[in-house]
Amino acid sequence: GSVGGGGGGQGGGGWGETGIARLLTGSFGAQIAWLLPTALLLLAVIVVLLIRAEVARRRRRRSTHLPVARTSGSLEAAVMMWGAWLVVTWLVLSNMNGIVHEYYTVALVPAIAVILALGVALLLTTASYGAMLLLALAWALTGAWQFILTASMSGIPGWLRWGVLMVSILGALLLIGTGLRFRAGQDGLRRNRALMSAVASVAVIASLVIPAQLSVRTIAASTEGSIVTIAGTNSGMGGPGGGGGGPAG
């Protein structure tokens, strides 16, 4: 929690600058931003797709003058709950003044995981050229952002950084190519969907390689004090870290 001023406004005192970019860069970004930009992108995509589906349903009802059944609403409810969790927590931590530590960002992990799963599943179900472009964009964004985040971190091999980046770029191009084949009607719907699902599975696995490596190193490393950060990073903006000594929030 916050138990002290430490400055106000944009400064945030000794706990880093406040603002929507706080969790995407610096010491906070190294803890949580590996998939956060992608989750925010997919959340926006999901909301747009759901709105378009509802508009289309209402248009069909007006044109036929007959009741058109709507979905059960479970997807909309899940998006509302997990999307609100993601956005509200992100904004609160981004603008929090006083004492705020990097490990607070763990509260975002469940929402990020669910929104990613919902977004990828929905785009694969849509199975259109536009859906493939969006998946390609999400994968390329993830690889590029992880490449940027790891630039200032220790203990991550250069070949791993470049490997994840290249796989994301090549995978995005493959998804675009698959989308073009789908739009042209080649290979049939079932085969294209199988290929899209396989590529999406590779994308998810590749996007988790660096976070998994960091998680293993963090678990294996010895930690002193009450402030725990991911191995290879320091508690730079989130107050005293590593050795403790500062107040734990």
Side-chain angles (χ1 to χ4, degrees):
S2 178
V3 290
Q10 285 297 111
W15 283 269
E17 294 288 333
T18 58
I20 60 174
R22 184 191 220 175
L23 302 190
L24 301 176
T25 58
S27 60
F28 281 92
Q31 313 303 312
I32 196 61
W34 305 100
L35 296 168
L36 178 57
T38 309
L40 293 172
L41 170 65
L42 289 180
L43 176 59
V45 169
I46 294 171
V47 171
V48 171
L49 290 177
L50 291 178
I51 291 175
R52 289 182 60 186
E54 179 62 20
V55 170
R57 186 188 71 84
R58 294 187 178 187
R59 285 178 178 173
R60 287 197 303 270
R61 184 175 60 184
R62 286 198 300 266
S63 63
T64 60
H65 303 289
L66 294 173
V68 178
R70 62 175 300 162
T71 59
S72 63
S74 57
L75 175 59
E76 291 86 343
V79 172
M80 183 177 297
M81 184 184 77
W82 293 106
W85 182 333
L86 176 65
V87 173
V88 171
T89 306
W90 167 50
L91 292 177
V92 168
L93 292 178
S94 295
N95 294 283
M96 182 184 294
N97 285 314
I99 297 177
V100 50
H101 299 297
E102 288 92 340
Y103 68 80
Y104 293 1
T105 58
V106 73
L108 283 164
V109 173
I112 290 175
V114 173
I115 293 299
L116 287 175
L118 289 175
V120 172
L122 186 58
L123 289 175
L124 287 176
T125 302
T126 304
S128 65
Y129 177 61
M132 291 306 98
L133 287 181
L134 289 170
L135 279 175
L137 174 61
W139 194 358
L141 171 64
T142 303
W145 200 261
Q146 291 187 3
F147 184 80
I148 294 172
L149 285 175
T150 53
S152 59
M153 296 180 64
S154 62
I156 300 179
W159 62 266
L160 181 59
R161 294 181 62 234
W162 284 100
V164 169
L165 177 64
M166 294 307 298
V167 168
S168 67
I169 294 175
L170 294 176
L173 293 175
L174 180 58
L175 281 172
I176 294 173
T178 304
L180 289 172
R181 295 178 66 87
F182 180 84
R183 188 169 65 172
Q186 300 178 10
D187 297 335
L189 178 60
R190 178 175 298 180
R191 184 172 179 179
N192 277 313
R193 277 187 169 172
L195 179 58
M196 289 185 290
S197 298
V199 175
S201 299
V202 174
V204 172
I205 294 173
S207 299
L208 293 175
V209 169
I210 290 180
Q213 190 253 19
L214 290 171
S215 297
V216 171
R217 287 177 53 205
T218 303
I219 294 172
S222 59
T223 303
E224 297 180 358
S226 58
I227 310 302
V228 179
T229 55
I230 291 177
T233 67
N234 294 314
S235 181
M237 294 196 301

